[in-house]
Amino acid sequence: MAYQHAPGGIVTPEAVRLDLETAGLGSRTAAALIDLTIQFSALYALGLAGALIAASVGPGLPGWLGVTLVLLLVFALLFGYPLALETLWRGRTIGKAALGLRVVTVEGAPVRFRHAFARAALGLVDFYATFGAAAVLSVLLSRRNQRLGDLVAGTVVLRERSAQRAPTSVRFAVPPGAESYAATVDPAGLTVDDYRTVREFLLRAPGLRPEVRADLAARIARPLAARVRHRPPAGVGPELFLACLAARYQRRGRAATAGVAHQPDDAPPAPTPIPEAGGAGGFTPPA
């Protein structure tokens, strides 16, 4: 499932519009300048410390060893800095975090080591071998503002923060009549990114066409049901499962914050409209 770029957002083939947009040249350049400043500042500080150590050791240090150490240090900072941060910080570096940017795959999934490795390797061409010209031209000419590293890795850089509106908190409630079933749903295996996907779907589901809504609910529900090791009984549709999963996840988070097993709701929950049973019958997660 690939995303398509559209003015003001990212649209999936199922016609679901996300509140994220690809980062343009200006924000990407600003983020890169922050990262480069950090890298070269660290390089200068380490180089100065190395010179002081070499001066204290005296002429006994072989010249080739000093050159090798300097080259390894430069490579570690220019290549290892983005590789380590984007892998461990889920697609962000310090510069990207400051500008509200994040790298994701073109399918919208978090980047992994192989994506960060390809981006860092091509970054040597994008930024250093061509003095940034390759990156600028690629971002300007590509449909989704991708530099060469993004095109090879299959990634895009998204803008997470927007000045248009602030995110609002939403509380999901177990649909009426599904309380006993919801008690069997354990959200322990759900990640934050999984919950965000469920949240986005539930908020936008009422505005989708029925066939698109049912298909997208099934696509999201099947892998999540396998992840939390839950097999819905017959007659439980994917959207009902997702609604109960979101409600249970939120309640589990509130209980953990309060340090108690259960915390009564103190605000009206968001409505969770569920289609009538029928065409969206039970579903079976992958084994």
Side-chain angles (χ1 to χ4, degrees):
M1 182 177 69
Y3 288 99
Q4 298 178 349
H5 178 63
I10 298 290
V11 179
T12 70
E14 289 79 14
V16 178
R17 189 181 201 82
L18 304 181
D19 287 334
L20 300 175
E21 57 183 290
T22 54
L25 180 61
S27 57
R28 294 192 64 166
T29 300
L33 288 176
I34 293 174
D35 287 327
L36 288 174
T37 300
I38 294 172
Q39 288 173 279
F40 283 102
S41 297
L43 184 62
Y44 176 80
L46 292 175
L48 182 60
L52 293 175
I53 294 174
S56 65
V57 171
L61 185 66
W64 64 267
L65 180 58
V67 173
T68 301
L69 291 176
V70 169
L71 293 178
L72 288 175
L73 179 61
V74 171
F75 179 79
L77 283 173
L78 298 186
F79 182 79
Y81 171 89
L83 173 62
L85 285 181
E86 289 184 3
T87 301
L88 300 175
W89 204 5
R90 305 183 71 82
R92 288 183 294 181
T93 60
I94 296 175
K96 289 183 178 65
L99 272 293
L101 309 181
R102 183 190 294 271
V103 184
V104 300
T105 69
V106 292
E107 293 83 16
V111 294
R112 299 185 181 275
F113 176 82
R114 66 179 183 274
H115 305 108
F117 183 90
R119 283 175 47 80
L122 269 294
L124 300 178
V125 177
D126 281 331
F127 301 121
Y128 306 113
T130 62
F131 299 98
V136 171
L137 289 176
S138 182
V139 169
L140 291 176
L141 297 177
S142 61
R143 184 166 56 92
R144 290 180 286 195
N145 299 331
Q146 295 167 289
R147 65 174 176 87
L148 295 180
D150 291 314
L151 294 172
V152 172
T155 58
V156 292
V157 179
L158 298 182
R159 184 189 301 276
E160 291 189 302
R161 295 201 300 261
S162 173
Q164 294 178 354
R165 61 178 181 178
T168 57
S169 60
V170 178
R171 180 171 296 178
F172 295 105
V174 174
E179 291 81 5
S180 59
Y181 165 67
T184 67
V185 178
D186 183 5
L190 203 67
T191 67
V192 174
D193 287 335
D194 293 334
Y195 168 71
R196 287 174 180 167
T197 301
V198 176
R199 178 186 186 277
E200 183 78 9
F201 167 75
L202 292 175
L203 291 178
R204 299 192 178 277
L208 300 176
R209 298 192 307 272
E211 64 277 11
V212 172
R213 178 173 178 173
D215 179 66
L216 188 55
R219 290 193 185 195
I220 296 173
R222 288 192 186 101
L224 292 185
R227 179 166 299 178
V228 299
R229 299 179 180 180
H230 178 76
R231 183 172 293 274
V236 173
E239 192 169 338
L240 176 58
F241 163 70
L242 293 176
C244 293
L245 184 64
R248 293 279 292 173
Y249 180 87
Q250 285 190 337
R251 176 161 297 189
R252 180 173 177 266
R254 293 196 302 272
T257 301
V260 296
H262 171 71
Q263 179 182 6
D265 294 338
D266 55 4
T272 310
I274 304 298
E276 293 292 335
F283 69 101
T284 303

